[in-house]
């Protein structure tokens, strides 16, 4: 058998947009694995330029300064394959559209852009007959987009549920292990480089919501925009909530949940991100540090679990490069990869209509009749209490106060909202400290 020399293979011109955490690792992997990749593709990946803002900063041995350019637009016009790892909405969107218009296939890790305006990108890919891949946009290194989009294309997915944000998982895990406050756990995540300097999108749940929007669109063949994903972050989760969860044999995790709700003509999608209590025996409860894990439930396949590194330069670059190889193979052998299918056109159900069990934490006056009044309010809204835990607050304040943690049986969201509104007008309930859903039971 004769082996083809990679040098004799044709070159595919690759433009890399961004030379940060992910971009430098993508370029390193292309440099280090160039020969193998050439054999796998049938062509060499030749990096013709790397777009960045600061052209003076040293990017390590694999990114020579000569490759750096501030003119990303000129770069994409010369490329066969564009890898976008710069992030943000603009100029990333315009550059990807320009690249596709010029016939280049594109790979992006940009979940914010896909969740906000994926439709424009999908339509451009279709119009120009090029590929659009984005495995790294959801859960970093974990193969998730491809299984949902391709491996399970013959099945009917019912639900995708999991932890898709590493920063918040690190923070909640640290709070659970050490009893630290949210602020202290976040500061430690930043010191260790897990959380970004500006972790707003992570801790407010927007990053997880963007991933939920992408997963829901793919899983249910419908267009689910970021604005349709109900999103709550972890900034209000307190050390008391973590301790209460632990006392009940539960763990708090930031969950992304996308699922089918209703049947037949009234079938819709629910897409939501919130911190929830799950049983400590649930497999997701043991997902520690910045790891991600996702369950997919499909009619024929049953339950599948995906676990691994959801962030970081090298893990994310692995997913980006997998996409680059796929797109490059399509260019060499012809044809296009999987497209966007939104034929099902399922609408998104409002959160108010959904049902879940709740944990509600209240600060109340410690006097006769308070528990009865609280139970009466829940009962008036059709909410059934499952457990009650009470602790006196021994802080010397008058009148005496107590802290009450209540779990409920499954209830409709709008009923819980109405009950909480009623509490706000009473003298007995001094504060609604937390309201968290209970999942996975
Ligand atoms: P970084 O901030 O580390 O890198 C961004 C790079 O893009 C920098 O090199 C920056 O240039 C360049 N850049 C930004 N804006 C422009 C612009 N207008 N013109 C030219 N260059 C520009 O980001 P990451 O590598 O962490 O993330 C990249 C993408 O990957 C994002 O979409 C992110 O959401 C996604 N992602 C990241 C993961 C991670 O773990 N980091 C995981 C999964 C996805 P300069 O260096 O000169 O400032
Ligand atoms: N900030 C994201 C996280 C990066 O913490 O998971 C990966 O998308």
């Amino acid at each position: 058998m004769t082996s083809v020399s990679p040098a004799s293979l044709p070159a595919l011109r690759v433009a890399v947009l961004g030379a940060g955490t992910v971009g430098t690792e993508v370029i390193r992997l292309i440099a280090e694995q160039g020969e193998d990749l050439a054999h796998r593709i049938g062509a060499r990946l030749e990096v013709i330029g790397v777009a960045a803002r600061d052209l003076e900063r040293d990017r390590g041995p694999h990114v020579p300064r000569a490759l750096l350019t501030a003119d990303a637009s000129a770069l994409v016009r010369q490329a066969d394959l564009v890898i976008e790892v710069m992030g943000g909405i603009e100029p990333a969107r315009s550059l990807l559209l320009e690249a596709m218009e010029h016939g280049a296939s594109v790979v992006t890790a940009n979940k914010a852009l896909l969740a906000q305006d994926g439709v424009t990108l999908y339509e451009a890919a279709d119009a120009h007959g090029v590929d659009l891949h984005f495995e790294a946009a959801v859960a970093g290194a974990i193969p998730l987009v491809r299984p949902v989009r391709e491996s399970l294309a013959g099945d009917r997915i019912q639900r995708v549920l999991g932890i898709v944000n590493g920063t918040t998982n690190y923070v909640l895990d640290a709070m659970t292990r050490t009893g630290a406050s949210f602020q202290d756990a976040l500061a430690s995540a930043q010191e260790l480089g897990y959380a970004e300097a500006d972790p707003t999108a992570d801790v407010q749940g927007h990053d997880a919501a963007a991933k939920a929007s992408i997963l829901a669109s793919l899983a249910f063949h419908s267009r689910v925009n970021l604005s349709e994903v109900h999103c709550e972050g972890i900034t209000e989760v307190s050390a008391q909530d973590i301790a209460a969860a632990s006392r009940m044999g539960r763990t708090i995790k930031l969950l992304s949940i996308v699922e089918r709700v209703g049947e037949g003509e009234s079938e819709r999608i629910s897409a939501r991100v919130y911190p929830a209590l799950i049983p400590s025996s649930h497999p997701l409860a043991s997902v520690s540090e910045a790891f991600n894990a996702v369950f997919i439930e499909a009619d024929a396949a049953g339950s599948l679990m995906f676990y691994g590194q959801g962030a970081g330069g090298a893990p994310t670059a692995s997913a980006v490069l997998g996409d680059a190889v796929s797109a490059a193979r399509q260019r060499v052998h012809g044809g296009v990869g999987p497209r966007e299918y939104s034929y099902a056109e399922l609408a998104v159900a409002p959160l108010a209509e959904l049902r879940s069990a709740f944990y509600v934490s209240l600060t109340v006056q410690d006097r006769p009749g308070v528990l009865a009044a609280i139970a009466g309010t829940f009962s008036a809204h059709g909410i059934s209490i499952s457990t009650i835990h009470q602790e006196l607050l021994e802080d010397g304040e008058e009148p005496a106060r107590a802290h009450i943690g209540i779990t409920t049986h499954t209830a409709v969201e709008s009923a819980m909202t109405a009950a909480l509104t009623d509490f706000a007008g009473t003298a007995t309930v001094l504060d609604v400290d937390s309201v968290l859903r209970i999942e996975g039971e």
Side-chain angles (χ1 to χ4, degrees), residues 352-414:
E353 293 176 17
L354 300 182
R355 295 179 69 83
S356 62
F358 290 87
Y359 165 71
V360 180
S361 155
L362 305 170
T363 303
V364 300
Q365 286 193 14
D366 182 33
R367 62 172 177 75
V370 167
L371 276 183
I374 292 168
T377 302
F378 277 133
S379 162
H381 292 286
I383 300 170
S384 170
I385 291 174
S386 172
T387 65
I388 298 187
H389 176 89
Q390 177 171 325
E391 265 172 42
L392 288 183
L393 292 176
E394 291 172 353
D395 53 8
E397 285 215 12
E398 285 297 333
R401 298 176 307 150
H403 189 245
I404 293 184
I406 294 170
T407 62
T408 74
H409 293 293
T410 307
V412 181
E413 278 278 343
S414 56

Side-chain angles (χ1 to χ4, degrees), residues 17-23 51-54 57 59 84-88 91 109-111 136-137 140 310-313 316:
L17 308 182
T21 307
V22 180
R53 287 172 296 206
D54 179 350
R57 191 173 351 133
R59 314 275 173 169
E84 187 272 305
V85 280
M86 63 173 26
N110 195 333
K111 58 248 168 173
T316 308

Side-chain angles (χ1 to χ4, degrees), residues 10 54 95 126 202 256 325 329 332 346 356 391 410 435 439:
D54 179 350
L95 289 167
D126 254 354
D202 292 315
S256 290
V325 168
R329 282 176 177 155
V332 171
L346 294 178
S356 62
E391 265 172 42
T410 307
V435 182
E439 295 281 353

Side-chain angles (χ1 to χ4, degrees), residues 111 136-137 139-140 164-168 194 196 202 207 211 292 310-312 316:
K111 58 248 168 173
V164 294
N165 183 269
T167 305
T168 47
Y194 286 110
E196 294 176 33
D202 292 315
D207 178 81
K211 293 164 181 169
N292 286 189
T316 308

Side-chain angles (χ1 to χ4, degrees), residues 31-375:
E32 290 181 354
Q33 300 178 21
E35 289 204 2
D36 273 348
L37 295 179
H39 284 298
R40 291 175 204 165
I41 295 166
R44 288 176 292 116
L45 294 183
E46 184 192 337
V47 178
I48 58 165
V50 180
R53 287 172 296 206
D54 179 350
L55 304 187
E56 299 308 317
R57 191 173 351 133
D58 181 27
R59 314 275 173 169
H62 298 293
V63 191
R65 282 214 174 87
L67 278 183
L68 290 175
T69 174
D71 192 349
S73 173
L75 179 61
V76 301
R77 279 184 261 125
Q78 301 161 39
D80 301 307
L81 175 61
V82 171
I83 296 176
E84 187 272 305
V85 280
M86 63 173 26
I89 305 300
E90 285 295 348
R93 172 173 40 201
S94 301
L95 289 167
L96 289 180
L97 293 175
E98 191 174 7
M100 291 192 266
E101 205 174 299
H102 278 80
S105 288
V106 301
V107 172
T108 177
N110 195 333
K111 58 248 168 173
L113 174 57
L114 286 161
Q116 190 172 311
D117 199 12
V119 174
T120 305
L121 298 180
Y122 296 135
E123 286 176 354
D126 254 354
H128 301 295
V130 297
D131 281 342
L132 166 64
H133 289 283
F134 46 90
E135 182 64 68
V138 186
I142 306 174
L144 201 55
V145 169
R146 202 175 304 272
V148 171
R149 192 150 87 144
E150 297 180 52
S151 318
L152 291 167
D155 209 330
R156 182 177 159 85
I157 295 175
Q158 292 292 348
R159 195 172 198 229
V160 183
L161 170 148
I163 297 164
V164 294
N165 183 269
T167 305
T168 47
N169 199 58
Y170 183 90
V171 170
L172 291 174
D173 186 42
M175 290 173 76
T176 304
R177 279 185 291 104
T178 67
S181 68
F182 165 75
Q183 286 302 347
D184 288 348
L186 178 60
S188 118
Q190 281 175 309
E191 265 168 42
L192 292 167
Y194 286 110
E196 294 176 33
D198 178 4
T200 315
D202 292 315
V203 297
Q204 292 189 348
H206 301 149
D207 178 81
K211 293 164 181 169
S213 125
I214 296 169
L215 286 173
S217 303
L218 293 177
F220 308 125
H221 312 288
S222 299
R223 286 177 176 165
V224 178
N225 193 270
L226 177 59
S227 60
E228 296 175 291
V229 180
H230 174 82
C231 174
E232 294 171 31
I234 64 163
T235 52
E236 302 299 322
V237 176
S238 65
Q240 287 76 15
D241 294 329
I242 299 274
S246 155
R247 195 185 58 239
M248 293 185 281
R250 294 184 173 109
T251 304
I252 299 181
K253 293 288 184 188
L254 184 72
L255 298 184
S256 290
I257 305 170
V258 303
E259 62 186 341
R260 294 179 193 270
V261 291
E263 280 173 17
E265 289 292 296
S266 57
E267 182 174 70
R268 284 176 296 168
I269 296 169
S270 167
R272 53 199 201 269
V273 169
Y274 46 54
L277 282 75
I278 57 173
S280 296
S281 56
H282 192 286
L284 288 179
S286 55
V287 175
S288 62
E289 302 197 327
F291 279 81
N292 286 189
V294 177
F295 279 97
I296 300 179
E297 290 162 25
D299 284 355
S303 237
L304 306 166
M305 184 174 177
F306 300 78
Y307 171 83
Q309 301 201 56
T316 308
S318 161
V320 168
L321 213 53
D323 278 352
V325 168
S326 290
R329 282 176 177 155
Q330 296 285 2
R331 293 190 81 86
V332 171
H333 301 292
V336 285
R339 323 306 296 165
E340 184 226 12
Y341 301 102
S342 56
Y343 66 90
E345 293 180 348
L346 294 178
V348 177
L351 187 77
E353 293 176 17
L354 300 182
R355 295 179 69 83
S356 62
F358 290 87
Y359 165 71
V360 180
S361 155
L362 305 170
T363 303
V364 300
Q365 286 193 14
D366 182 33
R367 62 172 177 75
V370 167
L371 276 183
I374 292 168

